[in-house]
Amino acid sequence: MNIGVDAAALGMANAMTSHTNNVNSGYWNPAGLIHLEDHELSLMHANYFANIAQYDYIAYAKPIDDESAWGISLIRFGVDDILNTTELIDSQGNIDYNRISLFSTADYGVTFSYARRLQVPGFQYGVNAKVIRRIIGQFASSWGFGFDAGLQFEKNDWMFGLMLRDITTTYNVWSIDEAEYKKIANAIPGQNQELPESTEITAPKIQLGFSKKFNIRYDYSLLAAANVNMVFTKTNDLFSSDFASIDPALGFEFGYTDLVFLRAGLGNFQNIQQIDNTEKVGFQPNIGLGFQYKGIQIDYALTNLGNQSAALYSNIFSVKVDLGLFRN
């Protein structure tokens, strides 16, 4: 749930909290759904780890009236066709390759979003209810639930955003198949003798954002955006303490007649420990390209350009469609 969605956003290093204004706002800041003018559909696909993992996303949103909107989205991140070798060797020590089977491990996230305009001019808010489903073949599975809340404010062409992710903590409860677990309990003598913990908690995160769009003559525009992402735990983020860790992000979008877009962003600033125990600051540079025509928008992003961060690069494609095009 932390990777991000929409190639346009990923090309800008996820600096989206303040200005997101379409169907993908259900992920970035549900308050942005209030800007919808009609039904919208979004699709995205990406491959990770040399095509081993598949990351897919679909979302739909529509206005309810002039003051409110709603949306729903589904994310899946999975690795399929993993070899299950737990029964490769039988009780007599014989190896039988016919005993190998396949399984998948996948995480699913379903988000229900609602947005409403406040009576105060320029303000809108949104909320998310999330259901998390995680499956590791026949070995284990979990259910989880969480909530987000977002706020946006616009004044003098400046846009500001606040996103509170997992505000009550997102709580996952695991169910582990003990019979399957026993098959691997003695794979390494003296290890894995106890079942893993059955609960998993995601700590809250605060995201602050601001942005402004500059119009250059009549045909050109430049959108500049920044995010400050804060999580209440100690991590390898650029600014880190026992209380909280902060990771900034910067994104830019150059547009021509709202038809063609070039994007760039810097994010994922991390303190990375080297093999000689020294540290360096790693960051993730992203670039992107987009094309929009009559309500259909196709975007591409290349993340971690130049391999400057600990993350691997990935090619990401997404499509956004204004379904009002098909209304008679």
Side-chain angles (χ1 to χ4, degrees):
M1 298 297 289
N2 288 327
I3 296 174
V5 301
D6 181 29
L10 294 168
M12 296 180 65
N14 299 352
M16 299 296 295
T17 305
S18 61
H19 66 275
T20 180
N21 61 1
N22 55 43
V23 60
N24 299 307
S25 298
Y27 179 90
W28 296 111
N29 187 341
L33 292 174
I34 205 68
H35 298 286
L36 287 171
E37 296 181 357
D38 212 317
H39 304 232
E40 286 188 1
L41 176 70
S42 181
L43 303 168
M44 187 195 76
H45 174 74
N47 295 322
Y48 281 85
F49 313 120
N51 296 335
I52 294 175
Q54 310 296 316
Y55 183 45
D56 296 289
Y57 161 79
I58 182 172
Y60 169 81
K62 61 170 291 189
I64 298 174
D65 51 37
D66 292 339
E67 303 296 326
S68 59
W70 72 276
I72 184 172
S73 64
L74 170 66
I75 293 174
R76 180 188 187 270
F77 190 97
V79 179
D80 300 307
D81 296 331
I82 303 171
L83 296 178
N84 178 5
T85 60
T86 59
E87 297 182 354
L88 174 62
I89 303 175
D90 62 23
S91 58
Q92 299 178 351
N94 300 313
I95 296 177
D96 184 355
Y97 291 101
N98 292 322
R99 294 165 64 92
I100 295 177
S101 58
L102 301 176
F103 71 97
S104 297
T105 177
D107 295 346
Y108 299 85
V110 180
T111 302
F112 303 90
S113 306
Y114 174 79
R116 189 166 186 85
R117 199 183 307 275
L118 291 172
Q119 296 299 317
V120 182
F123 278 95
Q124 52 262 354
Y125 74 91
V127 292
N128 286 338
K130 301 183 294 187
V131 179
I132 310 299
R133 176 65 168 164
R134 308 185 70 183
I135 301 173
I136 306 177
Q138 68 270 39
F139 306 103
S141 62
S142 77
W143 286 99
F145 305 91
F147 298 91
D148 306 327
L151 184 70
Q152 284 184 333
F153 174 62
E154 305 167 34
K155 187 175 179 63
N156 298 330
D157 296 327
W158 282 91
M159 294 169 281
F160 304 89
L162 170 66
M163 180 64 169
L164 306 177
R165 293 189 179 274
D166 305 299
I167 55 176
T168 59
T169 71
T170 294
Y171 191 74
N172 279 272
V173 179
W174 283 90
S175 173
I176 300 171
D177 189 314
E178 295 190 30
E180 292 292 336
Y181 184 80
K182 288 180 180 179
K183 295 178 182 179
I184 62 171
N186 295 316
I188 302 177
Q191 298 187 26
N192 300 322
Q193 300 303 303
E194 297 182 1
L195 289 173
E197 294 184 8
S198 60
T199 58
E200 184 179 12
I201 296 175
T202 302
K205 178 186 291 185
I206 295 177
Q207 296 176 316
L208 296 169
F210 61 92
S211 59
K212 186 173 183 179
K213 187 173 184 178
F214 302 90
N215 292 310
I216 307 171
R217 294 186 177 180
Y218 298 102
D219 296 332
Y220 301 94
S221 65
L222 175 65
L223 173 64
N227 255 39
V228 176
N229 307 311
M230 178 186 299
V231 60
F232 293 99
T233 186
K234 190 171 185 178
T235 68
N236 290 328
D237 286 344
L238 185 60
F239 306 102
S240 183
S241 69
D242 291 335
F243 173 71
S245 301
I246 298 175
D247 172 32
L250 299 171
F252 302 91
E253 179 185 77
F254 177 77
Y256 172 68
T257 65
D258 285 332
L259 181 68
V260 179
F261 303 91
L262 294 174
R263 305 181 181 97
L266 293 174
N268 196 25
F269 290 89
Q270 301 282 302
N271 295 308
I272 303 174
Q273 187 171 16
Q274 304 300 294
I275 194 170
D276 59 358
N277 291 325
T278 61
E279 285 191 351
K280 78 167 187 177
V281 175
F283 60 93
Q284 186 170 322
N286 305 332
I287 59 173
L289 176 67
F291 177 79
Q292 177 178 271
Y293 183 69
K294 290 186 176 180
I296 299 177
Q297 182 170 326
I298 301 174
D299 296 295
Y300 165 77
L302 175 61
T303 65
N304 197 21
L305 177 70
N307 196 29
Q308 293 296 314
S309 81
L312 299 177
Y313 78 89
S314 186
N315 296 286
I316 300 170
F317 296 89
S318 67
V319 177
K320 181 171 68 69
V321 180
D322 183 343
L323 299 177
L325 289 172
F326 305 101
R327 182 178 295 112
N328 293 328

